Amino acid sequence: MKFKLSYLLFFFIIFSSCKDDNKKRIAENEKDAKKKEVIFSNINKGWVFYDSPINTTAEESVATWNELRLFLAELAQKPKKTIGAFQQKATAISKKAMALNENLPIQFDKPQIKSRISTLITKVRLLDLYIHLDAIPDKKVIHLIAEINNELASLQRQMDKIVEKSKIPVEEGESELKKMMDASRAIPNSSPTMIDPNTPKVE
């Protein structure tokens, strides 16, 4: 009889502890779900990219620079419903950003454009990294979106400067002056070596 009572007591303790564990697990799952819901909501609100050209130069370039057009088109498509959709979109944006270095139009194949593209790529890849973390830092993700918008605007303004500069007419003689100042075109110094006046002359 005592054995049966102790057995029942033991079973009751195990059952109640399991019940407590289940309650804790359910409470933790609910807390985790709410946290993920808040993160999704914040990212969903902050996921706003400047996907339209900001000046005439960028607008005209979109017609000829395929990689820029595809990058802006990728930014324009906002994901929906799940955080997984945002993760997939971040990866797609990252691939399109890296392609910006390929087939650069000749007029934009310049260090100041390349450096801006490089910075833009870095920011986009960081976004892709952060959004794939287990604990997504939603504030950092939103901050990076703002930085990507700034870098994209900076790139388009630089493109505009290059185009505007190319429209300025060259003054007469300016191109010749530039050529003269170009060190790579300089004539090497081939003057005869100085002769020491103390060297005896052979007559």
Side-chain angles (χ1 to χ4, degrees):
M1 188 74 179
K2 281 182 182 179
F3 178 74
K4 280 184 178 179
L5 271 169
S6 60
Y7 181 76
L8 279 168
L9 190 67
F10 177 72
F11 181 75
F12 180 73
I13 290 165
I14 287 175
F15 181 74
S16 61
S17 69
C18 285
K19 214 172 182 181
D20 288 347
D21 283 351
N22 279 344
K23 279 180 184 176
K24 279 181 187 175
R25 201 177 296 116
I26 289 165
E28 281 173 15
N29 286 346
E30 281 176 5
K31 193 179 174 183
D32 191 46
K34 280 178 185 174
K35 193 178 175 183
K36 283 179 179 174
E37 210 174 286
V38 169
I39 288 169
F40 173 80
S41 178
N42 290 343
I43 290 172
N44 191 39
K45 281 178 198 168
W47 196 276
V48 180
F49 286 103
Y50 301 156
D51 52 63
S52 299
I54 64 165
N55 53 40
T56 313
T57 301
E59 213 170 281
E60 288 169 359
S61 298
V62 164
T64 54
W65 186 5
N66 193 40
E67 286 72 19
L68 179 63
R69 185 175 70 253
L70 292 173
F71 178 67
L72 292 175
E74 197 69 60
L75 291 179
Q77 297 165 7
K78 187 177 176 179
K80 294 171 184 175
K81 293 181 181 176
T82 64
I83 203 71
F86 282 99
Q87 289 170 333
Q88 286 176 351
K89 178 55 69 177
T91 303
I93 291 169
S94 183
K95 284 177 184 172
K96 293 286 190 290
M98 286 189 282
L100 288 171
N101 269 328
E102 300 164 18
N103 304 320
L104 262 175
I106 294 165
Q107 69 180 136
F108 300 135
D109 194 1
K110 291 179 168 40
Q112 57 269 43
I113 293 290
K114 286 180 175 178
S115 69
R116 279 165 176 79
I117 290 173
S118 179
T119 308
L120 179 64
I121 289 170
T122 303
K123 304 280 183 192
V124 171
R125 292 188 78 182
L126 270 174
L127 171 72
D128 191 25
L129 173 75
Y130 283 140
I131 206 163
H132 278 91
L133 294 174
D134 289 334
I136 300 168
D138 51 330
K139 286 177 185 174
K140 282 187 179 180
V141 167
I142 293 160
H143 182 67
L144 271 167
I145 289 168
E147 287 187 355
I148 289 165
N149 284 332
N150 288 339
E151 293 303 329
L152 190 53
S154 173
L155 170 65
Q156 292 177 73
R157 280 194 290 269
Q158 188 59 50
M159 287 161 60
D160 197 44
K161 276 184 192 174
I162 288 167
V163 169
E164 289 306 309
K165 200 173 177 184
S166 70
K167 288 177 184 174
I168 299 168
V170 178
E171 287 185 27
E172 197 176 324
E174 191 180 338
S175 56
E176 284 77 14
L177 184 65
K178 281 182 182 174
K179 284 178 187 175
M180 285 169 63
M181 291 174 75
D182 186 359
S184 64
R185 294 173 48 88
I187 299 168
N189 189 359
S190 59
S191 58
T193 52
M194 292 289 289
I195 300 168
D196 187 359
N198 297 327
T199 308
K201 291 180 182 178
V202 180
E203 296 199 12

